[in-house]
Amino acid sequence: MNHPTQQILSSPHVHGGESIPQVMRTVIWALMPATAFSVMLFGWPTLFVILTTVATCMIVEHLLIKMRGWPSTMGDHSAALTGLLLALTLPPHAPWWLCVVGGLFAILVGKQLYGGLGQNIFNPALISRVFLLISFPVQLTFWPKPTPLFGESSYSLLQSINIFLGGGYGALLPLDTVTGATPLGQYRTEVGMGRTVDVALGGNYGFNYLDATSGMMGGSLGETSVILLTLGGLYLLHRKVITWHIPLSMLAGCLVPAAVFWMLDPGAYPNPLFHLITGGLILGVFFMATDMVTSPVTAKGQIIFGLGCGILTYLIRTWGGYPEGVSFAIVLMNATVPLIDQYTRPVAYGKTQQRNT
């Protein structure tokens, strides 16, 4: 309420020197090595997946902003980053329509329905990935084996276009020769049938920790390059785009219970290193859970949030209905952020603890 003798002035905020486009560009650059590696590992179809998802997000964002009569937001690069993150959660040979539906859902439902950038409750890329996984489980769990871009088994450009358009791999390539279970899927399926972890991951499957660490295995685009994603995350920490609170607490939340159960029964539960280098844990730790719009503001709140993401990830991976739990864990914890912020906000200078009334 205005009063003739009183004026409401803005606070003397100190500008950090960085803008939204700068932050978005930094995150995109941090993802570039892992993105390039995924294209090299799975071939041309992967490039089509990434380009289509990014283009869909940017086009949908532009059209929705134009319909509302708002200034264009193309320059902030947030839609492009959403498309890139969504692509990294998809199978390498996802068909075109899946990329379009995912990009449309991410921007329309995950972002603009709440009012746009800064207003969304859930991470747009992850809420879209969860939607796709529930709606199209067959396509979202179709994992091609690595076919290095310039290797003997690589697909030609025409074959890649045919795969991307949904034409399949041709009669000469049966599906069981081009696809295989991810390590987490193999573990959950075989251990669920009563086999030990060593038997489940050994034998013909031949899980190799060195290959998994270097990224030479099947999985979504963001599951394979653990080393490059970690380097990208460290770059974000160095540039102060993110802080250590969420990444470290999320890792602790997943790996500590993994270590406890592994020590109690190593035949039924894989060791913490297995959880660290498989699935999308590293992608979630550095690039998804740290989304500044959908994570808590305070350091204490970020630690609580990260621990919750890590614990839920381990619970879903071990006993849930899906072998991978990072997406569900972060989306579920996104819903708790307003409550965490309320109970972890600092006491104002000169105030006492009476604050939540």
Side-chain angles (χ1 to χ4, degrees), residues 116-159:
L117 182 65
Q119 308 297 320
N120 49 294
I121 299 174
F122 303 103
N123 183 301
L126 281 185
I127 195 67
S128 178
R129 204 260 179 178
V130 169
F131 162 73
L132 292 176
L133 186 58
I134 295 173
S135 304
F136 310 103
V138 175
Q139 290 80 4
L140 260 289
T141 53
F142 184 82
W143 307 115
K145 296 177 181 177
T147 51
L149 191 58
F150 301 109
E152 295 180 356
S153 59
S154 64
Y155 302 110
S156 67
L157 194 57
L158 289 178
Q159 285 177 313

Side-chain angles (χ1 to χ4, degrees), residues 70 110-122 293-294:
W70 292 354
K111 184 178 178 183
Q112 292 299 332
L113 203 61
Y114 293 97
L117 182 65
Q119 308 297 320
N120 49 294
I121 299 174
F122 303 103
V293 176
T294 58

Side-chain angles (χ1 to χ4, degrees), residues 7-348:
Q7 289 183 326
I8 300 176
L9 301 176
S10 60
S11 301
H13 299 297
V14 178
H15 197 283
E18 287 195 327
S19 62
I20 293 176
Q22 287 176 314
V23 172
M24 297 297 168
R25 280 199 301 269
T26 302
V27 179
I28 290 173
W29 279 116
L31 285 168
M32 278 299 102
T35 303
F37 176 81
S38 66
V39 175
M40 293 293 295
L41 186 65
F42 292 105
W44 295 115
T46 304
L47 183 61
F48 298 147
V49 169
I50 296 170
L51 293 178
T52 303
T53 309
V54 171
T56 301
C57 286
M58 294 180 68
I59 292 171
V60 172
E61 170 107 337
H62 176 73
L63 293 177
L64 291 177
I65 292 294
K66 192 173 181 180
M67 289 171 60
R68 289 179 167 181
W70 292 354
S72 174
T73 57
M74 284 297 96
D76 65 18
H77 310 302
S78 62
L81 177 58
T82 296
L84 179 58
L85 287 171
L86 175 61
L88 292 176
T89 68
L90 297 178
H93 296 179
W96 70 272
W97 60 266
L98 200 69
C99 303
V100 172
V101 172
L104 176 64
F105 191 92
I107 298 299
L108 177 60
V109 180
K111 184 178 178 183
Q112 292 299 332
L113 203 61
Y114 293 97
L117 182 65
Q119 308 297 320
N120 49 294
I121 299 174
F122 303 103
N123 183 301
L126 281 185
I127 195 67
S128 178
R129 204 260 179 178
V130 169
F131 162 73
L132 292 176
L133 186 58
I134 295 173
S135 304
F136 310 103
V138 175
Q139 290 80 4
L140 260 289
T141 53
F142 184 82
W143 307 115
K145 296 177 181 177
T147 51
L149 191 58
F150 301 109
E152 295 180 356
S153 59
S154 64
Y155 302 110
S156 67
L157 194 57
L158 289 178
Q159 285 177 313
S160 300
I161 294 173
N162 188 56
I163 293 170
F164 182 63
L165 295 178
Y169 299 89
L172 298 178
L173 292 174
L175 290 182
D176 58 356
T177 65
V178 296
T179 64
T182 64
L184 283 171
Q186 176 76 5
Y187 151 67
R188 285 296 306 275
T189 301
E190 295 295 321
V191 171
M193 297 172 66
R195 299 185 176 90
T196 66
V197 173
D198 288 341
V199 172
L201 299 177
N204 292 330
Y205 188 75
F207 177 77
N208 183 290
Y209 283 91
L210 183 60
D211 287 346
T213 304
S214 63
M216 298 301 293
M217 64 177 183
S220 68
L221 304 182
E223 291 184 22
T224 54
S225 45
V226 173
I227 295 176
L228 295 177
L229 287 170
T230 302
L231 291 176
L234 295 176
Y235 175 68
L236 294 183
L237 287 169
H238 171 69
R239 292 292 306 272
K240 301 186 186 309
V241 173
I242 63 174
T243 64
W244 60 268
H245 303 86
I246 292 177
L248 195 61
S249 58
M250 185 173 174
L251 286 174
C254 181
L255 301 184
V256 170
V260 171
F261 280 96
W262 172 63
M263 288 188 288
L264 292 174
D265 188 354
Y269 304 99
N271 60 57
L273 178 60
F274 176 81
H275 284 280
L276 181 66
I277 63 177
T278 60
L281 182 60
I282 297 299
L283 179 67
V285 161
F286 288 113
F287 296 95
M288 298 294 198
T290 53
D291 176 14
M292 56 186 67
V293 176
T294 58
S295 60
V297 176
T298 65
K300 186 190 297 182
Q302 291 176 356
I303 292 174
I304 296 171
F305 176 81
L307 283 172
C309 290
I311 292 172
L312 285 175
T313 296
Y314 183 74
L315 291 176
I316 295 171
R317 280 184 172 188
T318 307
W319 296 286
Y322 292 92
E324 173 60 290
V326 173
S327 302
F328 290 102
I330 295 177
V331 167
L332 288 172
M333 288 304 297
N334 284 159
T336 70
V337 168
L339 190 64
I340 294 175
D341 276 338
Q342 179 180 352
Y343 286 98
T344 58
R345 61 185 177 183
V347 179

